[in-house]
Amino acid sequence: MDLPGSGMKALILAGGYGTRLRPLTLTQPKPLVEFANKQMILHQVEALAAVGVTTVVLAVSYRAEQLEQEMGCHAERLGVKIEFSQEEEPLGTAGPLALARAHLDGTDPFFVLNSDVICDFPFAAMIDFHKSHGAEATIAVTEVAEPSKYGVVVFEEQSGQISEFVEKPQEYVGNKINAGLYILSPAVLNRITLKPTSIEKEVFPFVAADGKLFAFVLPGFWMDVGQPVDFLKGQTLYLQHVRKTAPERLAAGPHIRGNVIVDATATLGSDCVIGPDVVIGASVRIESGVRLRGCTILAETRIQPNAFVTQSIIGRKCNIGSWVRMEGSSVLGDDVVVKEELYLNDAQVLPNKTISTSVPQRAVIM
């Protein structure tokens, strides 16, 4: 039986520098940063492949060779063709579509995704909705608690037809925002020229004015995980989703509290307490008496006895000394050493650094 997206193509916007997620992105492009022990972009590519997408185009720029090498390893496993469209200069969120037009040309609609979005990816339902209205474009939208902080999508609730976009409204006009997932018909490409362009501000308003833009309301959770605080919020939402849909993926045992993912190659010492909302990567060593809460520990890192880490992201191959305390959205790049008994609060530490003194307030360690 054909899948709903059989033969479709997708373009993933993966060309940014990932500045909001530094220092993790100083040694790898943001789409390759692991989220819940899987590279961000793989969450999306696997979901696309599951509905029958056969070609995924990556719009790349920063560390493009690293992305090409890594994703080439996954193409055969997933049964998709992965192509690359290289930007020589930043082209915004619409320019990359013009650059990749040769990859996308045809008669069928195609997906466009922002690479740092995490959600349940209900692509099959989104395809059905796009086919049902038959217009040029579908935008996935998601509900937010404080719409005044965002650009709000105003649309007719029954049909989904979008009438306008209101940036940071001071009066209530709706509570749905652009979720960074689209299905576009090829006609949209005729509206885009090859120059730095915003699809949100310079393309979609004109499609809406022509009555050809519709909103698909995302069910379930959603988060743009492109900065540390939102990365950790998204991790909490993702782990809650796993609890509901695939609880066998979560760790269990006397050391575990709440929703936790532990890679099979990681080791946990005696008397440690892990969770809630923790992800532990491949070959990580958690030693005795360690306390972890609301954090991510990336691959091959060692956490020495009695350290406490909360609301922080620790990069690959780090070494955290005994009795260290880390909190306040601290982020360590790869290969960082933190000496014993130090306190880090909202510290951003660049790769290959050794920290020998406490960082009690926000600081970037160069």
Side-chain angles (χ1 to χ4, degrees):
M1 186 176 71
D2 284 345
L3 295 169
S6 289
M8 283 183 70
K9 298 179 180 180
L11 181 137
I12 300 178
L13 298 169
Y17 288 94
T19 53
R20 297 182 301 159
L21 207 54
R22 287 179 179 171
L24 296 174
T25 52
L26 292 174
T27 49
Q28 60 188 325
K30 181 172 60 176
L32 296 184
V33 173
E34 290 202 349
F35 177 88
N37 285 350
K38 182 186 295 184
Q39 291 159 334
M40 285 188 196
I41 201 165
L42 269 184
H43 288 273
Q44 298 186 340
V45 175
E46 288 180 356
L48 290 166
V51 296
V53 170
T54 53
T55 301
V56 176
V57 181
L58 301 185
V60 297
S61 175
Y62 174 66
R63 291 185 173 269
E65 290 183 3
Q66 198 173 352
L67 253 174
E68 290 183 28
Q69 182 178 4
E70 187 68 29
M71 293 310 298
C73 298
H74 296 290
E76 184 175 352
R77 173 180 67 85
L78 296 172
V80 298
K81 182 180 181 182
I82 297 181
E83 300 176 343
F84 298 89
S85 177
Q86 172 113 26
E87 299 177 29
E88 299 301 327
E89 62 171 334
L91 290 173
T93 52
L97 277 73
L99 184 65
R101 181 163 187 160
H103 297 278
L104 301 171
D105 260 346
T107 58
D108 295 329
F110 54 88
F111 284 98
V112 176
L113 315 180
N114 291 341
S115 66
D116 43 11
V117 167
I118 194 75
C119 66
D120 191 25
F121 300 118
F123 290 145
M126 198 170 168
I127 292 167
D128 289 343
F129 176 75
H130 183 79
K131 290 178 178 178
S132 73
H133 64 67
E136 282 190 21
T138 295
I139 298 179
V141 298
T142 187
E143 183 176 322
V144 292
E146 298 182 66
S148 61
K149 293 182 178 180
Y150 303 91
V152 172
V153 182
V154 181
F155 61 96
E156 204 282 315
E157 292 287 342
Q158 292 299 316
S159 68
Q161 186 170 17
I162 295 172
S163 58
E164 63 177 330
F165 299 85
V166 181
E167 188 66 26
K168 297 182 179 179
Q170 298 306 302
E171 296 182 357
Y172 183 85
V173 294
N175 63 353
K176 306 293 194 307
I177 65 169
N178 183 344
L181 310 172
Y182 318 126
I183 296 179
L184 307 182
S185 297
V188 175
L189 295 173
N190 297 327
R191 299 176 179 266
I192 304 171
T193 55
L194 183 51
K195 63 179 183 178
T197 312
S198 165
I199 197 168
E200 298 87 356
K201 296 179 180 180
E202 299 175 75
V203 178
F204 285 154
F206 296 98
V207 183
D210 291 342
K212 297 179 179 180
L213 186 61
F214 284 72
F216 171 81
V217 180
L218 277 180
F221 77 102
W222 172 91
M223 185 61 67
D224 175 336
V225 295
Q227 58 186 349
V229 170
D230 293 336
F231 185 102
L232 292 171
K233 287 180 182 176
Q235 177 174 288
T236 295
L237 295 173
Y238 179 82
L239 291 172
Q240 290 172 351
H241 175 70
V242 173
R243 171 68 67 184
K244 295 175 183 175
T245 59
E248 68 279 0
R249 292 181 53 204
L250 298 176
H255 302 312
I256 304 300
R257 306 288 185 272
N259 299 330
V260 174
I261 289 177
V262 180
D263 187 89
T265 61
T267 58
L268 305 182
S270 62
D271 301 321
C272 60
V273 180
I274 312 298
D277 303 325
V278 171
V279 173
I280 296 174
S283 302
V284 168
R285 290 171 53 193
I286 307 297
E287 300 186 357
S288 63
V290 167
R291 178 71 173 97
L292 304 178
R293 185 173 65 203
C295 61
T296 290
I297 315 297
L298 294 175
E300 299 183 63
T301 282
R302 177 189 178 193
I303 312 290
Q304 296 189 43
N306 302 306
F308 176 82
V309 181
T310 183
Q311 292 303 306
S312 298
I313 305 171
I314 298 180
R316 301 170 295 183
K317 298 183 179 180
C318 292
N319 192 336
I320 310 302
S322 60
W323 295 103
V324 164
R325 181 182 181 95
M326 283 183 57
E327 60 187 10
S329 300
S330 291
V331 183
L332 307 188
D334 293 343
D335 295 288
V336 169
V337 175
V338 181
K339 297 292 188 179
E340 62 273 5
E341 300 183 10
L342 298 184
Y343 173 55
L344 276 66
N345 178 31
D346 199 7
Q348 316 296 305
V349 183
L350 272 62
N352 302 300
K353 300 298 178 183
T354 296
I355 308 302
S356 303
T357 57
S358 290
V359 185
Q361 58 189 6
R362 180 171 178 78
V364 177
I365 312 301
M366 307 291 287

